[in-house]
PDB file of all heavy atoms in Angstrom:
ATOM      1  N   ALA A1034       0.811  -1.204   0.000  1.00 85.00           N
ATOM      2  CA  ALA A1034       0.000   0.000   0.000  1.00 85.00           C
ATOM      3  C   ALA A1034       0.851   1.263   0.000  1.00 85.00           C
ATOM      4  O   ALA A1034       0.343   2.355  -0.267  1.00 85.00           O
ATOM      5  CB  ALA A1034      -0.933   0.013   1.206  1.00 85.00           C
ATOM      6  N   GLY A1035       2.150   1.117   0.284  1.00 80.00           N
ATOM      7  CA  GLY A1035       3.039   2.260   0.322  1.00 80.00           C
ATOM      8  C   GLY A1035       3.879   2.354  -0.931  1.00 80.00           C
ATOM      9  O   GLY A1035       3.661   1.656  -1.919  1.00 80.00           O
ATOM     10  N   ALA A1036       4.879   3.226  -0.876  1.00 76.00           N
ATOM     11  CA  ALA A1036       5.690   3.499  -2.067  1.00 76.00           C
ATOM     12  C   ALA A1036       6.995   2.725  -2.106  1.00 76.00           C
ATOM     13  O   ALA A1036       7.659   2.696  -3.138  1.00 76.00           O
ATOM     14  CB  ALA A1036       5.995   4.994  -2.148  1.00 76.00           C
ATOM     15  N   SER A1037       7.381   2.072  -1.000  1.00 74.00           N
ATOM     16  CA  SER A1037       8.726   1.502  -0.935  1.00 74.00           C
ATOM     17  C   SER A1037       8.938   0.373  -1.932  1.00 74.00           C
ATOM     18  O   SER A1037      10.018   0.237  -2.514  1.00 74.00           O
ATOM     19  CB  SER A1037       9.025   1.002   0.483  1.00 74.00           C
ATOM     20  OG  SER A1037       8.126  -0.017   0.861  1.00 74.00           O
ATOM     21  N   VAL A1038       7.912  -0.464  -2.159  1.00 77.00           N
ATOM     22  CA  VAL A1038       8.067  -1.576  -3.094  1.00 77.00           C
ATOM     23  C   VAL A1038       8.238  -1.053  -4.513  1.00 77.00           C
ATOM     24  O   VAL A1038       9.115  -1.495  -5.267  1.00 77.00           O
ATOM     25  CB  VAL A1038       6.864  -2.539  -3.006  1.00 77.00           C
ATOM     26  CG1 VAL A1038       6.927  -3.578  -4.119  1.00 77.00           C
ATOM     27  CG2 VAL A1038       6.854  -3.235  -1.649  1.00 77.00           C
ATOM     28  N   THR A1039       7.403  -0.103  -4.898  1.00 73.00           N
ATOM     29  CA  THR A1039       7.536   0.469  -6.231  1.00 73.00           C
ATOM     30  C   THR A1039       8.867   1.184  -6.388  1.00 73.00           C
ATOM     31  O   THR A1039       9.527   1.088  -7.428  1.00 73.00           O
ATOM     32  CB  THR A1039       6.379   1.446  -6.513  1.00 73.00           C
ATOM     33  OG1 THR A1039       5.153   0.719  -6.471  1.00 73.00           O
ATOM     34  CG2 THR A1039       6.526   2.070  -7.886  1.00 73.00           C
ATOM     35  N   ASP A1040       9.304   1.911  -5.366  1.00 74.00           N
ATOM     36  CA  ASP A1040      10.607   2.573  -5.422  1.00 74.00           C
ATOM     37  C   ASP A1040      11.720   1.567  -5.652  1.00 74.00           C
ATOM     38  O   ASP A1040      12.629   1.791  -6.451  1.00 74.00           O
ATOM     39  CB  ASP A1040      10.876   3.336  -4.116  1.00 74.00           C
ATOM     40  CG  ASP A1040      10.076   4.626  -4.022  1.00 74.00           C
ATOM     41  OD1 ASP A1040       9.521   5.049  -5.051  1.00 74.00           O
ATOM     42  OD2 ASP A1040      10.001   5.193  -2.923  1.00 74.00           O
ATOM     43  N   ALA A1041      11.645   0.443  -4.941  1.00 71.00           N
ATOM     44  CA  ALA A1041      12.706  -0.556  -5.030  1.00 71.00           C
ATOM     45  C   ALA A1041      12.745  -1.208  -6.406  1.00 71.00           C
ATOM     46  O   ALA A1041      13.821  -1.500  -6.938  1.00 71.00           O
ATOM     47  CB  ALA A1041      12.514  -1.620  -3.952  1.00 71.00           C
ATOM     48  N   TYR A1042      11.575  -1.426  -6.997  1.00 69.00           N
ATOM     49  CA  TYR A1042      11.523  -2.118  -8.283  1.00 69.00           C
ATOM     50  C   TYR A1042      11.660  -1.183  -9.477  1.00 69.00           C
ATOM     51  O   TYR A1042      12.276  -1.515 -10.472  1.00 69.00           O
ATOM     52  CB  TYR A1042      10.192  -2.872  -8.425  1.00 69.00           C
ATOM     53  CG  TYR A1042      10.174  -4.218  -7.748  1.00 69.00           C
ATOM     54  CD1 TYR A1042       9.785  -4.351  -6.438  1.00 69.00           C
ATOM     55  CD2 TYR A1042      10.544  -5.359  -8.444  1.00 69.00           C
ATOM     56  CE1 TYR A1042       9.753  -5.588  -5.820  1.00 69.00           C
ATOM     57  CE2 TYR A1042      10.514  -6.603  -7.835  1.00 69.00           C
ATOM     58  CZ  TYR A1042      10.112  -6.711  -6.524  1.00 69.00           C
ATOM     59  OH  TYR A1042      10.089  -7.933  -5.919  1.00 69.00           O
ATOM     60  N   LEU A1043      11.049  -0.012  -9.371  1.00 59.00           N
ATOM     61  CA  LEU A1043      10.888   0.830 -10.546  1.00 59.00           C
ATOM     62  C   LEU A1043      11.588   2.175 -10.439  1.00 59.00           C
ATOM     63  O   LEU A1043      11.362   3.059 -11.253  1.00 59.00           O
ATOM     64  CB  LEU A1043       9.390   1.041 -10.826  1.00 59.00           C
ATOM     65  CG  LEU A1043       8.582  -0.239 -11.034  1.00 59.00           C
ATOM     66  CD1 LEU A1043       7.110   0.091 -11.233  1.00 59.00           C
ATOM     67  CD2 LEU A1043       9.101  -1.029 -12.220  1.00 59.00           C
ATOM     68  N   GLY A1044      12.409   2.353  -9.417  1.00 54.00           N
ATOM     69  CA  GLY A1044      13.256   3.531  -9.358  1.00 54.00           C
ATOM     70  C   GLY A1044      12.551   4.801  -8.972  1.00 54.00           C
ATOM     71  O   GLY A1044      12.900   5.893  -9.432  1.00 54.00           O
ATOM     72  N   GLY A1045      11.535   4.681  -8.094  1.00 42.00           N
ATOM     73  CA  GLY A1045      10.970   5.893  -7.547  1.00 42.00           C
ATOM     74  C   GLY A1045       9.617   6.294  -8.098  1.00 42.00           C
ATOM     75  O   GLY A1045       9.114   7.359  -7.785  1.00 42.00           O
ATOM     76  N   LEU A1046       8.983   5.463  -8.946  1.00 34.00           N
ATOM     77  CA  LEU A1046       7.648   5.787  -9.411  1.00 34.00           C
ATOM     78  C   LEU A1046       6.670   5.724  -8.254  1.00 34.00           C
ATOM     79  O   LEU A1046       6.772   4.882  -7.369  1.00 34.00           O
ATOM     80  CB  LEU A1046       7.204   4.804 -10.507  1.00 34.00           C
ATOM     81  CG  LEU A1046       8.053   4.798 -11.775  1.00 34.00           C
ATOM     82  CD1 LEU A1046       7.492   3.772 -12.748  1.00 34.00           C
ATOM     83  CD2 LEU A1046       8.069   6.175 -12.434  1.00 34.00           C
ATOM     84  N   ASP A1047       5.723   6.616  -8.246  1.00 34.00           N
ATOM     85  CA  ASP A1047       4.760   6.662  -7.154  1.00 34.00           C
ATOM     86  C   ASP A1047       3.734   5.548  -7.284  1.00 34.00           C
ATOM     87  O   ASP A1047       3.365   5.145  -8.386  1.00 34.00           O
ATOM     88  CB  ASP A1047       4.017   8.001  -7.135  1.00 34.00           C
ATOM     89  CG  ASP A1047       4.937   9.145  -6.768  1.00 34.00           C
ATOM     90  OD1 ASP A1047       5.911   8.883  -6.043  1.00 34.00           O
ATOM     91  OD2 ASP A1047       4.670  10.281  -7.205  1.00 34.00           O
ATOM     92  N   VAL A1048       3.269   5.056  -6.153  1.00 33.00           N
ATOM     93  CA  VAL A1048       2.164   4.100  -6.134  1.00 33.00           C
ATOM     94  C   VAL A1048       0.860   4.873  -6.082  1.00 33.00           C
ATOM     95  O   VAL A1048       0.693   5.762  -5.259  1.00 33.00           O
ATOM     96  CB  VAL A1048       2.266   3.178  -4.901  1.00 33.00           C
ATOM     97  CG1 VAL A1048       1.060   2.256  -4.829  1.00 33.00           C
ATOM     98  CG2 VAL A1048       3.532   2.373  -4.957  1.00 33.00           C
ATOM     99  N   ILE A1049      -0.052   4.574  -6.995  1.00 31.00           N
ATOM    100  CA  ILE A1049      -1.367   5.204  -6.959  1.00 31.00           C
ATOM    101  C   ILE A1049      -2.138   4.639  -5.787  1.00 31.00           C
ATOM    102  O   ILE A1049      -2.190   3.436  -5.576  1.00 31.00           O
ATOM    103  CB  ILE A1049      -2.133   4.942  -8.269  1.00 31.00           C
ATOM    104  CG1 ILE A1049      -1.353   5.538  -9.441  1.00 31.00           C
ATOM    105  CG2 ILE A1049      -3.544   5.525  -8.206  1.00 31.00           C
ATOM    106  CD1 ILE A1049      -1.943   5.182 -10.789  1.00 31.00           C
ATOM    107  N   GLU A1050      -2.718   5.497  -5.003  1.00 33.00           N
ATOM    108  CA  GLU A1050      -3.410   5.057  -3.793  1.00 33.00           C
ATOM    109  C   GLU A1050      -4.460   4.008  -4.128  1.00 33.00           C
ATOM    110  O   GLU A1050      -5.257   4.161  -5.044  1.00 33.00           O
ATOM    111  CB  GLU A1050      -4.081   6.248  -3.112  1.00 33.00           C
ATOM    112  CG  GLU A1050      -4.698   5.884  -1.757  1.00 33.00           C
ATOM    113  CD  GLU A1050      -5.219   7.098  -1.025  1.00 33.00           C
ATOM    114  OE1 GLU A1050      -5.040   8.216  -1.533  1.00 33.00           O
ATOM    115  OE2 GLU A1050      -5.810   6.907   0.048  1.00 33.00           O
ATOM    116  N   GLY A1051      -4.419   2.905  -3.373  1.00 34.00           N
ATOM    117  CA  GLY A1051      -5.370   1.823  -3.585  1.00 34.00           C
ATOM    118  C   GLY A1051      -4.906   0.780  -4.566  1.00 34.00           C
ATOM    119  O   GLY A1051      -5.532  -0.252  -4.705  1.00 34.00           O
ATOM    120  N   ASP A1052      -3.806   1.052  -5.275  1.00 38.00           N
ATOM    121  CA  ASP A1052      -3.298   0.095  -6.249  1.00 38.00           C
ATOM    122  C   ASP A1052      -2.059  -0.586  -5.706  1.00 38.00           C
ATOM    123  O   ASP A1052      -1.327  -0.037  -4.905  1.00 38.00           O
ATOM    124  CB  ASP A1052      -2.931   0.787  -7.564  1.00 38.00           C
ATOM    125  CG  ASP A1052      -4.167   1.222  -8.337  1.00 38.00           C
ATOM    126  OD1 ASP A1052      -5.261   0.769  -7.962  1.00 38.00           O
ATOM    127  OD2 ASP A1052      -4.016   2.018  -9.284  1.00 38.00           O
ATOM    128  N   SER A1053      -1.820  -1.816  -6.179  1.00 38.00           N
ATOM    129  CA  SER A1053      -0.580  -2.525  -5.882  1.00 38.00           C
ATOM    130  C   SER A1053       0.250  -2.577  -7.149  1.00 38.00           C
ATOM    131  O   SER A1053      -0.292  -2.798  -8.234  1.00 38.00           O
ATOM    132  CB  SER A1053      -0.861  -3.955  -5.403  1.00 38.00           C
ATOM    133  OG  SER A1053      -1.560  -3.931  -4.185  1.00 38.00           O
ATOM    134  N   PRO A1054       1.567  -2.375  -7.058  1.00 38.00           N
ATOM    135  CA  PRO A1054       2.386  -2.380  -8.260  1.00 38.00           C
ATOM    136  C   PRO A1054       2.460  -3.753  -8.884  1.00 38.00           C
ATOM    137  O   PRO A1054       2.526  -4.753  -8.189  1.00 38.00           O
ATOM    138  CB  PRO A1054       3.759  -1.935  -7.747  1.00 38.00           C
ATOM    139  CG  PRO A1054       3.764  -2.325  -6.306  1.00 38.00           C
ATOM    140  CD  PRO A1054       2.351  -2.166  -5.840  1.00 38.00           C
ATOM    141  N   ASP A1055       2.454  -3.829 -10.204  1.00 38.00           N
ATOM    142  CA  ASP A1055       2.620  -5.073 -10.935  1.00 38.00           C
ATOM    143  C   ASP A1055       4.067  -5.151 -11.381  1.00 38.00           C
ATOM    144  O   ASP A1055       4.444  -4.555 -12.370  1.00 38.00           O
ATOM    145  CB  ASP A1055       1.689  -5.103 -12.141  1.00 38.00           C
ATOM    146  CG  ASP A1055       1.824  -6.391 -12.934  1.00 38.00           C
ATOM    147  OD1 ASP A1055       2.526  -7.304 -12.451  1.00 38.00           O
ATOM    148  OD2 ASP A1055       1.238  -6.473 -14.020  1.00 38.00           O
ATOM    149  N   VAL A1056       4.877  -5.861 -10.618  1.00 38.00           N
ATOM    150  CA  VAL A1056       6.311  -5.887 -10.891  1.00 38.00           C
ATOM    151  C   VAL A1056       6.813  -7.313 -11.000  1.00 38.00           C
ATOM    152  O   VAL A1056       7.930  -7.623 -10.648  1.00 38.00           O
ATOM    153  CB  VAL A1056       7.095  -5.134  -9.795  1.00 38.00           C
ATOM    154  CG1 VAL A1056       6.794  -3.658  -9.857  1.00 38.00           C
ATOM    155  CG2 VAL A1056       6.782  -5.693  -8.411  1.00 38.00           C
ATOM    156  N   SER A1057       5.975  -8.208 -11.500  1.00 38.00           N
ATOM    157  CA  SER A1057       6.362  -9.609 -11.605  1.00 38.00           C
ATOM    158  C   SER A1057       6.868  -9.965 -12.992  1.00 38.00           C
ATOM    159  O   SER A1057       7.027 -11.130 -13.320  1.00 38.00           O
ATOM    160  CB  SER A1057       5.170 -10.507 -11.252  1.00 38.00           C
ATOM    161  OG  SER A1057       4.099 -10.266 -12.139  1.00 38.00           O
ATOM    162  N   SER A1058       7.161  -8.952 -13.817  1.00 33.00           N
ATOM    163  CA  SER A1058       7.474  -9.223 -15.214  1.00 33.00           C
ATOM    164  C   SER A1058       8.848  -9.801 -15.426  1.00 33.00           C
ATOM    165  O   SER A1058       9.158 -10.272 -16.505  1.00 33.00           O
ATOM    166  CB  SER A1058       7.351  -7.933 -16.028  1.00 33.00           C
ATOM    167  OG  SER A1058       8.227  -6.949 -15.520  1.00 33.00           O
ATOM    168  N   GLY A1059       9.718  -9.782 -14.398  1.00 35.00           N
ATOM    169  CA  GLY A1059      11.082 -10.237 -14.612  1.00 35.00           C
ATOM    170  C   GLY A1059      11.312 -11.699 -14.364  1.00 35.00           C
ATOM    171  O   GLY A1059      12.453 -12.154 -14.402  1.00 35.00           O
TER     172      GLY A1059
END
């Protein structure tokens, strides 16, 4: 729910509130 996962995977992109990042592409 926070920004740390997206920051770690995508270099600082913000997480839209209520959304989970989709970072399983690798």
Side-chain angles (χ1 to χ4, degrees):
S1037 62
V1038 172
T1039 298
D1040 285 347
Y1042 278 90
L1043 303 177
L1046 298 180
D1047 292 332
V1048 176
I1049 299 173
E1050 186 174 356
D1052 288 347
S1053 296
D1055 180 8
V1056 292
S1057 60
S1058 59

